[in-house]
PDB file of all heavy atoms in Angstrom:
ATOM      1  N   ASP A 109      19.652  56.656   5.703  1.00  0.00           N
ATOM      2  CA  ASP A 109      18.547  57.211   6.450  1.00  0.00           C
ATOM      3  C   ASP A 109      18.486  56.683   7.876  1.00  0.00           C
ATOM      4  O   ASP A 109      18.199  57.438   8.809  1.00  0.00           O
ATOM      5  CB  ASP A 109      17.226  56.917   5.735  1.00  0.00           C
ATOM      6  CG  ASP A 109      17.057  57.756   4.495  1.00  0.00           C
ATOM      7  OD1 ASP A 109      17.685  58.852   4.371  1.00  0.00           O
ATOM      8  OD2 ASP A 109      16.262  57.361   3.614  1.00  0.00           O
ATOM      9  N   ASN A 110      18.717  55.375   8.041  1.00  0.00           N
ATOM     10  CA  ASN A 110      18.728  54.792   9.404  1.00  0.00           C
ATOM     11  C   ASN A 110      19.299  53.377   9.341  1.00  0.00           C
ATOM     12  O   ASN A 110      18.558  52.419   9.133  1.00  0.00           O
ATOM     13  CB  ASN A 110      17.308  54.776  10.014  1.00  0.00           C
ATOM     14  CG  ASN A 110      17.346  54.477  11.506  1.00  0.00           C
ATOM     15  OD1 ASN A 110      18.134  53.664  11.961  1.00  0.00           O
ATOM     16  ND2 ASN A 110      16.478  55.144  12.275  1.00  0.00           N
ATOM     17  N   ALA A 111      20.602  53.328   9.557  1.00  0.00           N
ATOM     18  CA  ALA A 111      21.299  52.010   9.486  1.00  0.00           C
ATOM     19  C   ALA A 111      20.809  51.058  10.549  1.00  0.00           C
ATOM     20  O   ALA A 111      20.722  49.857  10.330  1.00  0.00           O
ATOM     21  CB  ALA A 111      22.800  52.239   9.626  1.00  0.00           C
ATOM     22  N   MET A 112      20.435  51.589  11.701  1.00  0.00           N
ATOM     23  CA  MET A 112      19.955  50.738  12.778  1.00  0.00           C
ATOM     24  C   MET A 112      18.634  50.092  12.411  1.00  0.00           C
ATOM     25  O   MET A 112      18.374  48.934  12.747  1.00  0.00           O
ATOM     26  CB  MET A 112      19.833  51.512  14.068  1.00  0.00           C
ATOM     27  CG  MET A 112      19.682  50.675  15.278  1.00  0.00           C
ATOM     28  SD  MET A 112      19.970  51.630  16.751  1.00  0.00           S
ATOM     29  CE  MET A 112      19.884  50.358  17.961  1.00  0.00           C
ATOM     30  N   ALA A 113      17.797  50.827  11.685  1.00  0.00           N
ATOM     31  CA  ALA A 113      16.508  50.247  11.235  1.00  0.00           C
ATOM     32  C   ALA A 113      16.736  49.125  10.264  1.00  0.00           C
ATOM     33  O   ALA A 113      16.043  48.104  10.270  1.00  0.00           O
ATOM     34  CB  ALA A 113      15.622  51.338  10.674  1.00  0.00           C
ATOM     35  N   VAL A 114      17.713  49.297   9.361  1.00  0.00           N
ATOM     36  CA  VAL A 114      18.033  48.240   8.383  1.00  0.00           C
ATOM     37  C   VAL A 114      18.460  46.974   9.120  1.00  0.00           C
ATOM     38  O   VAL A 114      18.007  45.879   8.770  1.00  0.00           O
ATOM     39  CB  VAL A 114      19.143  48.706   7.396  1.00  0.00           C
ATOM     40  CG1 VAL A 114      19.583  47.573   6.503  1.00  0.00           C
ATOM     41  CG2 VAL A 114      18.639  49.880   6.556  1.00  0.00           C
ATOM     42  N   VAL A 115      19.263  47.124  10.134  1.00  0.00           N
ATOM     43  CA  VAL A 115      19.677  45.987  10.958  1.00  0.00           C
ATOM     44  C   VAL A 115      18.442  45.357  11.603  1.00  0.00           C
ATOM     45  O   VAL A 115      18.290  44.128  11.654  1.00  0.00           O
ATOM     46  CB  VAL A 115      20.736  46.359  12.001  1.00  0.00           C
ATOM     47  CG1 VAL A 115      21.003  45.253  12.971  1.00  0.00           C
ATOM     48  CG2 VAL A 115      22.033  46.799  11.305  1.00  0.00           C
ATOM     49  N   GLY A 116      17.558  46.200  12.093  1.00  0.00           N
ATOM     50  CA  GLY A 116      16.314  45.706  12.711  1.00  0.00           C
ATOM     51  C   GLY A 116      15.433  44.962  11.705  1.00  0.00           C
ATOM     52  O   GLY A 116      14.852  43.922  12.034  1.00  0.00           O
ATOM     53  N   PHE A 117      15.342  45.486  10.478  1.00  0.00           N
ATOM     54  CA  PHE A 117      14.551  44.804   9.451  1.00  0.00           C
ATOM     55  C   PHE A 117      15.141  43.414   9.152  1.00  0.00           C
ATOM     56  O   PHE A 117      14.414  42.435   9.001  1.00  0.00           O
ATOM     57  CB  PHE A 117      14.480  45.625   8.177  1.00  0.00           C
ATOM     58  CG  PHE A 117      13.865  46.970   8.280  1.00  0.00           C
ATOM     59  CD1 PHE A 117      14.218  47.984   7.410  1.00  0.00           C
ATOM     60  CD2 PHE A 117      12.926  47.283   9.273  1.00  0.00           C
ATOM     61  CE1 PHE A 117      13.631  49.266   7.517  1.00  0.00           C
ATOM     62  CE2 PHE A 117      12.359  48.542   9.395  1.00  0.00           C
ATOM     63  CZ  PHE A 117      12.725  49.518   8.513  1.00  0.00           C
ATOM     64  N   ALA A 118      16.473  43.366   9.061  1.00  0.00           N
ATOM     65  CA  ALA A 118      17.155  42.074   8.786  1.00  0.00           C
ATOM     66  C   ALA A 118      16.943  41.127   9.955  1.00  0.00           C
ATOM     67  O   ALA A 118      16.702  39.926   9.726  1.00  0.00           O
ATOM     68  CB  ALA A 118      18.642  42.325   8.495  1.00  0.00           C
ATOM     69  N   ALA A 119      17.020  41.620  11.159  1.00  0.00           N
ATOM     70  CA  ALA A 119      16.828  40.761  12.347  1.00  0.00           C
ATOM     71  C   ALA A 119      15.383  40.247  12.355  1.00  0.00           C
ATOM     72  O   ALA A 119      15.171  39.082  12.680  1.00  0.00           O
ATOM     73  CB  ALA A 119      17.116  41.559  13.637  1.00  0.00           C
ATOM     74  N   PHE A 120      14.420  41.106  12.016  1.00  0.00           N
ATOM     75  CA  PHE A 120      13.024  40.625  11.981  1.00  0.00           C
ATOM     76  C   PHE A 120      12.870  39.539  10.914  1.00  0.00           C
ATOM     77  O   PHE A 120      12.197  38.541  11.137  1.00  0.00           O
ATOM     78  CB  PHE A 120      12.046  41.778  11.678  1.00  0.00           C
ATOM     79  CG  PHE A 120      10.648  41.280  11.480  1.00  0.00           C
ATOM     80  CD1 PHE A 120       9.854  40.954  12.542  1.00  0.00           C
ATOM     81  CD2 PHE A 120      10.146  41.085  10.189  1.00  0.00           C
ATOM     82  CE1 PHE A 120       8.584  40.412  12.352  1.00  0.00           C
ATOM     83  CE2 PHE A 120       8.862  40.602   9.979  1.00  0.00           C
ATOM     84  CZ  PHE A 120       8.062  40.282  11.064  1.00  0.00           C
ATOM     85  N   ALA A 121      13.478  39.738   9.741  1.00  0.00           N
ATOM     86  CA  ALA A 121      13.387  38.719   8.686  1.00  0.00           C
ATOM     87  C   ALA A 121      13.947  37.410   9.126  1.00  0.00           C
ATOM     88  O   ALA A 121      13.345  36.347   8.892  1.00  0.00           O
ATOM     89  CB  ALA A 121      14.105  39.249   7.405  1.00  0.00           C
ATOM     90  N   ALA A 122      15.120  37.455   9.782  1.00  0.00           N
ATOM     91  CA  ALA A 122      15.728  36.195  10.271  1.00  0.00           C
ATOM     92  C   ALA A 122      14.817  35.542  11.337  1.00  0.00           C
ATOM     93  O   ALA A 122      14.639  34.325  11.305  1.00  0.00           O
ATOM     94  CB  ALA A 122      17.118  36.489  10.825  1.00  0.00           C
ATOM     95  N   PHE A 123      14.320  36.369  12.248  1.00  0.00           N
ATOM     96  CA  PHE A 123      13.439  35.817  13.294  1.00  0.00           C
ATOM     97  C   PHE A 123      12.162  35.224  12.674  1.00  0.00           C
ATOM     98  O   PHE A 123      11.696  34.181  13.084  1.00  0.00           O
ATOM     99  CB  PHE A 123      13.045  36.872  14.306  1.00  0.00           C
ATOM    100  CG  PHE A 123      11.933  36.415  15.206  1.00  0.00           C
ATOM    101  CD1 PHE A 123      12.174  35.474  16.181  1.00  0.00           C
ATOM    102  CD2 PHE A 123      10.660  36.887  15.056  1.00  0.00           C
ATOM    103  CE1 PHE A 123      11.125  35.000  16.981  1.00  0.00           C
ATOM    104  CE2 PHE A 123       9.604  36.444  15.850  1.00  0.00           C
ATOM    105  CZ  PHE A 123       9.845  35.514  16.823  1.00  0.00           C
ATOM    106  N   TRP A 124      11.622  35.897  11.641  1.00  0.00           N
ATOM    107  CA  TRP A 124      10.395  35.427  11.019  1.00  0.00           C
ATOM    108  C   TRP A 124      10.626  34.030  10.381  1.00  0.00           C
ATOM    109  O   TRP A 124       9.811  33.130  10.501  1.00  0.00           O
ATOM    110  CB  TRP A 124       9.875  36.414   9.966  1.00  0.00           C
ATOM    111  CG  TRP A 124       8.562  36.021   9.440  1.00  0.00           C
ATOM    112  CD1 TRP A 124       7.337  36.316  10.004  1.00  0.00           C
ATOM    113  CD2 TRP A 124       8.275  35.240   8.281  1.00  0.00           C
ATOM    114  NE1 TRP A 124       6.321  35.772   9.251  1.00  0.00           N
ATOM    115  CE2 TRP A 124       6.879  35.119   8.189  1.00  0.00           C
ATOM    116  CE3 TRP A 124       9.034  34.680   7.307  1.00  0.00           C
ATOM    117  CZ2 TRP A 124       6.239  34.409   7.160  1.00  0.00           C
ATOM    118  CZ3 TRP A 124       8.462  33.980   6.261  1.00  0.00           C
ATOM    119  CH2 TRP A 124       7.063  33.853   6.211  1.00  0.00           C
ATOM    120  N   VAL A 125      11.777  33.858   9.716  1.00  0.00           N
ATOM    121  CA  VAL A 125      12.082  32.541   9.135  1.00  0.00           C
ATOM    122  C   VAL A 125      12.208  31.496  10.223  1.00  0.00           C
ATOM    123  O   VAL A 125      11.632  30.397  10.113  1.00  0.00           O
ATOM    124  CB  VAL A 125      13.369  32.607   8.271  1.00  0.00           C
ATOM    125  CG1 VAL A 125      13.870  31.235   7.899  1.00  0.00           C
ATOM    126  CG2 VAL A 125      13.156  33.493   7.064  1.00  0.00           C
ATOM    127  N   TYR A 126      12.886  31.851  11.297  1.00  0.00           N
ATOM    128  CA  TYR A 126      12.998  30.921  12.468  1.00  0.00           C
ATOM    129  C   TYR A 126      11.619  30.586  13.006  1.00  0.00           C
ATOM    130  O   TYR A 126      11.312  29.429  13.288  1.00  0.00           O
ATOM    131  CB  TYR A 126      13.881  31.626  13.528  1.00  0.00           C
ATOM    132  CG  TYR A 126      13.832  30.971  14.889  1.00  0.00           C
ATOM    133  CD1 TYR A 126      14.695  29.909  15.201  1.00  0.00           C
ATOM    134  CD2 TYR A 126      12.963  31.421  15.886  1.00  0.00           C
ATOM    135  CE1 TYR A 126      14.686  29.328  16.439  1.00  0.00           C
ATOM    136  CE2 TYR A 126      12.959  30.849  17.144  1.00  0.00           C
ATOM    137  CZ  TYR A 126      13.803  29.785  17.417  1.00  0.00           C
ATOM    138  OH  TYR A 126      13.789  29.224  18.651  1.00  0.00           O
ATOM    139  N   TRP A 127      10.781  31.584  13.142  1.00  0.00           N
ATOM    140  CA  TRP A 127       9.431  31.444  13.669  1.00  0.00           C
ATOM    141  C   TRP A 127       8.604  30.462  12.799  1.00  0.00           C
ATOM    142  O   TRP A 127       7.982  29.532  13.301  1.00  0.00           O
ATOM    143  CB  TRP A 127       8.759  32.804  13.702  1.00  0.00           C
ATOM    144  CG  TRP A 127       7.440  32.966  14.393  1.00  0.00           C
ATOM    145  CD1 TRP A 127       6.785  32.010  15.174  1.00  0.00           C
ATOM    146  CD2 TRP A 127       6.623  34.115  14.390  1.00  0.00           C
ATOM    147  NE1 TRP A 127       5.622  32.531  15.622  1.00  0.00           N
ATOM    148  CE2 TRP A 127       5.500  33.826  15.167  1.00  0.00           C
ATOM    149  CE3 TRP A 127       6.733  35.345  13.800  1.00  0.00           C
ATOM    150  CZ2 TRP A 127       4.462  34.732  15.388  1.00  0.00           C
ATOM    151  CZ3 TRP A 127       5.702  36.270  14.012  1.00  0.00           C
ATOM    152  CH2 TRP A 127       4.619  35.961  14.796  1.00  0.00           C
ATOM    153  N   VAL A 128       8.638  30.655  11.494  1.00  0.00           N
ATOM    154  CA  VAL A 128       7.880  29.805  10.575  1.00  0.00           C
ATOM    155  C   VAL A 128       8.403  28.360  10.625  1.00  0.00           C
ATOM    156  O   VAL A 128       7.617  27.391  10.708  1.00  0.00           O
ATOM    157  CB  VAL A 128       7.935  30.338   9.129  1.00  0.00           C
ATOM    158  CG1 VAL A 128       7.423  29.332   8.145  1.00  0.00           C
ATOM    159  CG2 VAL A 128       7.118  31.626   9.024  1.00  0.00           C
ATOM    160  N   LEU A 129       9.733  28.199  10.575  1.00  0.00           N
ATOM    161  CA  LEU A 129      10.292  26.850  10.579  1.00  0.00           C
ATOM    162  C   LEU A 129       9.931  26.106  11.837  1.00  0.00           C
ATOM    163  O   LEU A 129       9.572  24.916  11.811  1.00  0.00           O
ATOM    164  CB  LEU A 129      11.811  26.901  10.358  1.00  0.00           C
ATOM    165  CG  LEU A 129      12.278  27.393   8.990  1.00  0.00           C
ATOM    166  CD1 LEU A 129      13.779  27.503   8.940  1.00  0.00           C
ATOM    167  CD2 LEU A 129      11.748  26.492   7.890  1.00  0.00           C
ATOM    168  N   ARG A 130      10.014  26.796  12.983  1.00  0.00           N
ATOM    169  CA  ARG A 130       9.693  26.132  14.264  1.00  0.00           C
ATOM    170  C   ARG A 130       8.173  25.888  14.369  1.00  0.00           C
ATOM    171  O   ARG A 130       7.759  24.864  14.835  1.00  0.00           O
ATOM    172  CB  ARG A 130      10.165  27.000  15.423  1.00  0.00           C
ATOM    173  CG  ARG A 130      11.648  27.312  15.446  1.00  0.00           C
ATOM    174  CD  ARG A 130      12.500  26.414  16.161  1.00  0.00           C
ATOM    175  NE  ARG A 130      12.108  26.223  17.518  1.00  0.00           N
ATOM    176  CZ  ARG A 130      12.726  25.399  18.364  1.00  0.00           C
ATOM    177  NH1 ARG A 130      13.787  24.712  17.924  1.00  0.00           N
ATOM    178  NH2 ARG A 130      12.329  25.218  19.575  1.00  0.00           N
ATOM    179  N   ALA A 131       7.367  26.829  13.914  1.00  0.00           N
ATOM    180  CA  ALA A 131       5.911  26.682  14.015  1.00  0.00           C
ATOM    181  C   ALA A 131       5.445  25.533  13.129  1.00  0.00           C
ATOM    182  O   ALA A 131       4.571  24.738  13.512  1.00  0.00           O
ATOM    183  CB  ALA A 131       5.193  27.975  13.587  1.00  0.00           C
ATOM    184  N   ARG A 132       6.047  25.351  11.950  1.00  0.00           N
ATOM    185  CA  ARG A 132       5.663  24.246  11.054  1.00  0.00           C
ATOM    186  C   ARG A 132       5.905  22.910  11.712  1.00  0.00           C
ATOM    187  O   ARG A 132       5.122  21.964  11.499  1.00  0.00           O
ATOM    188  CB  ARG A 132       6.480  24.300   9.763  1.00  0.00           C
ATOM    189  CG  ARG A 132       5.977  25.338   8.775  1.00  0.00           C
ATOM    190  CD  ARG A 132       6.735  25.252   7.471  1.00  0.00           C
ATOM    191  NE  ARG A 132       6.506  23.940   6.876  1.00  0.00           N
ATOM    192  CZ  ARG A 132       7.344  23.382   6.014  1.00  0.00           C
ATOM    193  NH1 ARG A 132       8.442  24.008   5.673  1.00  0.00           N
ATOM    194  NH2 ARG A 132       7.069  22.214   5.474  1.00  0.00           N
ATOM    195  N   LYS A 133       6.947  22.809  12.512  1.00  0.00           N
ATOM    196  CA  LYS A 133       7.270  21.546  13.172  1.00  0.00           C
ATOM    197  C   LYS A 133       6.584  21.384  14.503  1.00  0.00           C
ATOM    198  O   LYS A 133       6.707  20.342  15.151  1.00  0.00           O
ATOM    199  CB  LYS A 133       8.796  21.453  13.386  1.00  0.00           C
ATOM    200  CG  LYS A 133       9.566  21.408  12.089  1.00  0.00           C
ATOM    201  CD  LYS A 133      11.047  21.373  12.356  1.00  0.00           C
ATOM    202  CE  LYS A 133      11.842  21.383  11.056  1.00  0.00           C
ATOM    203  NZ  LYS A 133      13.272  21.412  11.304  1.00  0.00           N
ATOM    204  N   GLY A 134       5.869  22.414  14.924  1.00  0.00           N
ATOM    205  CA  GLY A 134       5.192  22.347  16.220  1.00  0.00           C
ATOM    206  C   GLY A 134       6.104  22.547  17.394  1.00  0.00           C
ATOM    207  O   GLY A 134       5.772  22.147  18.528  1.00  0.00           O
ATOM    208  N   LEU A 135       7.255  23.150  17.186  1.00  0.00           N
ATOM    209  CA  LEU A 135       8.225  23.395  18.266  1.00  0.00           C
ATOM    210  C   LEU A 135       7.976  24.750  18.904  1.00  0.00           C
ATOM    211  O   LEU A 135       7.383  25.670  18.268  1.00  0.00           O
ATOM    212  CB  LEU A 135       9.639  23.323  17.696  1.00  0.00           C
ATOM    213  CG  LEU A 135      10.046  22.009  17.078  1.00  0.00           C
ATOM    214  CD1 LEU A 135      11.369  22.144  16.339  1.00  0.00           C
ATOM    215  CD2 LEU A 135      10.097  20.916  18.122  1.00  0.00           C
ATOM    216  N   PRO A 136       8.416  24.963  20.121  1.00  0.00           N
ATOM    217  CA  PRO A 136       8.279  26.289  20.757  1.00  0.00           C
ATOM    218  C   PRO A 136       8.959  27.366  19.936  1.00  0.00           C
ATOM    219  O   PRO A 136      10.046  27.161  19.386  1.00  0.00           O
ATOM    220  CB  PRO A 136       8.956  26.126  22.109  1.00  0.00           C
ATOM    221  CG  PRO A 136       9.047  24.681  22.371  1.00  0.00           C
ATOM    222  CD  PRO A 136       9.102  23.991  21.001  1.00  0.00           C
ATOM    223  N   THR A 137       8.323  28.515  19.825  1.00  0.00           N
ATOM    224  CA  THR A 137       8.868  29.587  18.984  1.00  0.00           C
ATOM    225  C   THR A 137       9.350  30.780  19.786  1.00  0.00           C
ATOM    226  O   THR A 137       9.881  31.722  19.189  1.00  0.00           O
ATOM    227  CB  THR A 137       7.794  30.072  17.996  1.00  0.00           C
ATOM    228  OG1 THR A 137       6.663  30.533  18.714  1.00  0.00           O
ATOM    229  CG2 THR A 137       7.389  28.986  17.023  1.00  0.00           C
ATOM    230  N   ALA A 138       9.252  30.737  21.064  1.00  0.00           N
ATOM    231  CA  ALA A 138       9.689  31.866  21.895  1.00  0.00           C
ATOM    232  C   ALA A 138      11.201  32.023  21.805  1.00  0.00           C
ATOM    233  O   ALA A 138      11.938  31.043  21.787  1.00  0.00           O
ATOM    234  CB  ALA A 138       9.291  31.673  23.336  1.00  0.00           C
ATOM    235  N   VAL A 139      11.632  33.258  21.717  1.00  0.00           N
ATOM    236  CA  VAL A 139      13.063  33.568  21.763  1.00  0.00           C
ATOM    237  C   VAL A 139      13.296  34.406  22.987  1.00  0.00           C
ATOM    238  O   VAL A 139      12.743  35.465  23.169  1.00  0.00           O
ATOM    239  CB  VAL A 139      13.491  34.381  20.488  1.00  0.00           C
ATOM    240  CG1 VAL A 139      14.950  34.797  20.593  1.00  0.00           C
ATOM    241  CG2 VAL A 139      13.236  33.568  19.249  1.00  0.00           C
ATOM    242  N   ARG A 140      14.125  33.878  23.850  1.00  0.00           N
ATOM    243  CA  ARG A 140      14.406  34.585  25.121  1.00  0.00           C
ATOM    244  C   ARG A 140      15.823  35.104  25.049  1.00  0.00           C
ATOM    245  O   ARG A 140      16.765  34.344  24.889  1.00  0.00           O
ATOM    246  CB  ARG A 140      14.235  33.639  26.275  1.00  0.00           C
ATOM    247  CG  ARG A 140      12.909  32.929  26.319  1.00  0.00           C
ATOM    248  CD  ARG A 140      12.225  33.099  27.659  1.00  0.00           C
ATOM    249  NE  ARG A 140      11.056  32.264  27.765  1.00  0.00           N
ATOM    250  CZ  ARG A 140       9.877  32.539  27.293  1.00  0.00           C
ATOM    251  NH1 ARG A 140       9.716  33.643  26.610  1.00  0.00           N
ATOM    252  NH2 ARG A 140       8.849  31.750  27.480  1.00  0.00           N
ATOM    253  N   LEU A 141      15.946  36.406  25.127  1.00  0.00           N
ATOM    254  CA  LEU A 141      17.281  37.037  25.128  1.00  0.00           C
ATOM    255  C   LEU A 141      17.681  37.275  26.583  1.00  0.00           C
ATOM    256  O   LEU A 141      16.912  37.774  27.371  1.00  0.00           O
ATOM    257  CB  LEU A 141      17.252  38.359  24.381  1.00  0.00           C
ATOM    258  CG  LEU A 141      17.124  38.264  22.879  1.00  0.00           C
ATOM    259  CD1 LEU A 141      17.092  39.673  22.260  1.00  0.00           C
ATOM    260  CD2 LEU A 141      18.230  37.455  22.246  1.00  0.00           C
ATOM    261  N   ALA A 142      18.910  36.919  26.875  1.00  0.00           N
ATOM    262  CA  ALA A 142      19.471  37.182  28.201  1.00  0.00           C
ATOM    263  C   ALA A 142      19.592  38.684  28.402  1.00  0.00           C
ATOM    264  O   ALA A 142      19.730  39.440  27.425  1.00  0.00           O
ATOM    265  CB  ALA A 142      20.838  36.519  28.332  1.00  0.00           C
ATOM    266  N   PRO A 143      19.522  39.123  29.628  1.00  0.00           N
ATOM    267  CA  PRO A 143      19.621  40.588  29.911  1.00  0.00           C
ATOM    268  C   PRO A 143      20.832  41.267  29.272  1.00  0.00           C
ATOM    269  O   PRO A 143      20.750  42.386  28.844  1.00  0.00           O
ATOM    270  CB  PRO A 143      19.645  40.656  31.435  1.00  0.00           C
ATOM    271  CG  PRO A 143      18.921  39.432  31.885  1.00  0.00           C
ATOM    272  CD  PRO A 143      19.251  38.370  30.884  1.00  0.00           C
ATOM    273  N   LYS A 144      21.959  40.520  29.197  1.00  0.00           N
ATOM    274  CA  LYS A 144      23.166  41.145  28.591  1.00  0.00           C
ATOM    275  C   LYS A 144      22.925  41.535  27.170  1.00  0.00           C
ATOM    276  O   LYS A 144      23.483  42.539  26.707  1.00  0.00           O
ATOM    277  CB  LYS A 144      24.371  40.201  28.732  1.00  0.00           C
ATOM    278  CG  LYS A 144      24.294  38.978  27.891  1.00  0.00           C
ATOM    279  CD  LYS A 144      25.523  38.096  28.068  1.00  0.00           C
ATOM    280  CE  LYS A 144      25.401  36.834  27.255  1.00  0.00           C
ATOM    281  NZ  LYS A 144      26.583  35.986  27.425  1.00  0.00           N
ATOM    282  N   TRP A 145      22.082  40.797  26.409  1.00  0.00           N
ATOM    283  CA  TRP A 145      21.800  41.153  25.030  1.00  0.00           C
ATOM    284  C   TRP A 145      20.905  42.358  24.950  1.00  0.00           C
ATOM    285  O   TRP A 145      21.041  43.217  24.044  1.00  0.00           O
ATOM    286  CB  TRP A 145      21.147  39.975  24.272  1.00  0.00           C
ATOM    287  CG  TRP A 145      22.177  38.884  24.080  1.00  0.00           C
ATOM    288  CD1 TRP A 145      22.209  37.652  24.685  1.00  0.00           C
ATOM    289  CD2 TRP A 145      23.362  38.929  23.291  1.00  0.00           C
ATOM    290  NE1 TRP A 145      23.297  36.958  24.308  1.00  0.00           N
ATOM    291  CE2 TRP A 145      24.022  37.698  23.433  1.00  0.00           C
ATOM    292  CE3 TRP A 145      23.875  39.889  22.437  1.00  0.00           C
ATOM    293  CZ2 TRP A 145      25.219  37.413  22.756  1.00  0.00           C
ATOM    294  CZ3 TRP A 145      25.083  39.609  21.763  1.00  0.00           C
ATOM    295  CH2 TRP A 145      25.709  38.377  21.917  1.00  0.00           C
ATOM    296  N   TRP A 146      19.939  42.501  25.869  1.00  0.00           N
ATOM    297  CA  TRP A 146      19.091  43.679  25.889  1.00  0.00           C
ATOM    298  C   TRP A 146      19.945  44.903  26.211  1.00  0.00           C
ATOM    299  O   TRP A 146      19.759  45.968  25.635  1.00  0.00           O
ATOM    300  CB  TRP A 146      17.951  43.549  26.891  1.00  0.00           C
ATOM    301  CG  TRP A 146      16.908  42.569  26.449  1.00  0.00           C
ATOM    302  CD1 TRP A 146      16.598  41.341  26.937  1.00  0.00           C
ATOM    303  CD2 TRP A 146      16.026  42.775  25.301  1.00  0.00           C
ATOM    304  NE1 TRP A 146      15.588  40.760  26.229  1.00  0.00           N
ATOM    305  CE2 TRP A 146      15.229  41.596  25.228  1.00  0.00           C
ATOM    306  CE3 TRP A 146      15.847  43.744  24.366  1.00  0.00           C
ATOM    307  CZ2 TRP A 146      14.259  41.454  24.219  1.00  0.00           C
ATOM    308  CZ3 TRP A 146      14.910  43.593  23.382  1.00  0.00           C
ATOM    309  CH2 TRP A 146      14.115  42.435  23.319  1.00  0.00           C
ATOM    310  N   TRP A 147      20.888  44.769  27.146  1.00  0.00           N
ATOM    311  CA  TRP A 147      21.805  45.840  27.452  1.00  0.00           C
ATOM    312  C   TRP A 147      22.643  46.202  26.252  1.00  0.00           C
ATOM    313  O   TRP A 147      22.900  47.388  25.972  1.00  0.00           O
ATOM    314  CB  TRP A 147      22.705  45.491  28.665  1.00  0.00           C
ATOM    315  CG  TRP A 147      21.999  45.689  29.956  1.00  0.00           C
ATOM    316  CD1 TRP A 147      21.429  44.723  30.740  1.00  0.00           C
ATOM    317  CD2 TRP A 147      21.753  46.920  30.626  1.00  0.00           C
ATOM    318  NE1 TRP A 147      20.880  45.292  31.867  1.00  0.00           N
ATOM    319  CE2 TRP A 147      21.025  46.639  31.795  1.00  0.00           C
ATOM    320  CE3 TRP A 147      22.054  48.266  30.318  1.00  0.00           C
ATOM    321  CZ2 TRP A 147      20.644  47.656  32.685  1.00  0.00           C
ATOM    322  CZ3 TRP A 147      21.674  49.271  31.217  1.00  0.00           C
ATOM    323  CH2 TRP A 147      20.985  48.947  32.379  1.00  0.00           C
ATOM    324  N   ALA A 148      23.133  45.214  25.546  1.00  0.00           N
ATOM    325  CA  ALA A 148      23.956  45.435  24.360  1.00  0.00           C
ATOM    326  C   ALA A 148      23.150  46.203  23.306  1.00  0.00           C
ATOM    327  O   ALA A 148      23.675  47.141  22.678  1.00  0.00           O
ATOM    328  CB  ALA A 148      24.475  44.136  23.780  1.00  0.00           C
ATOM    329  N   ILE A 149      21.908  45.850  23.107  1.00  0.00           N
ATOM    330  CA  ILE A 149      21.068  46.535  22.139  1.00  0.00           C
ATOM    331  C   ILE A 149      20.870  47.991  22.571  1.00  0.00           C
ATOM    332  O   ILE A 149      20.942  48.922  21.754  1.00  0.00           O
ATOM    333  CB  ILE A 149      19.721  45.797  21.961  1.00  0.00           C
ATOM    334  CG1 ILE A 149      19.931  44.453  21.284  1.00  0.00           C
ATOM    335  CG2 ILE A 149      18.717  46.680  21.189  1.00  0.00           C
ATOM    336  CD1 ILE A 149      18.738  43.521  21.324  1.00  0.00           C
ATOM    337  N   GLY A 150      20.615  48.186  23.868  1.00  0.00           N
ATOM    338  CA  GLY A 150      20.425  49.548  24.415  1.00  0.00           C
ATOM    339  C   GLY A 150      21.688  50.400  24.255  1.00  0.00           C
ATOM    340  O   GLY A 150      21.612  51.569  23.841  1.00  0.00           O
TER     341      GLY A 150
END
Side-chain angles (χ1 to χ4, degrees):
D109 288 338
N110 192 322
M112 194 165 185
V114 173
V115 171
F117 300 154
F120 173 79
F123 168 73
W124 187 85
V125 170
Y126 167 85
W127 189 10
V128 167
L129 293 175
R130 303 268 305 178
R132 282 186 62 205
K133 296 177 183 177
L135 300 171
T137 58
V139 175
R140 307 233 189 278
L141 290 178
K144 68 180 179 182
W145 291 110
W146 288 112
W147 280 101
I149 292 167

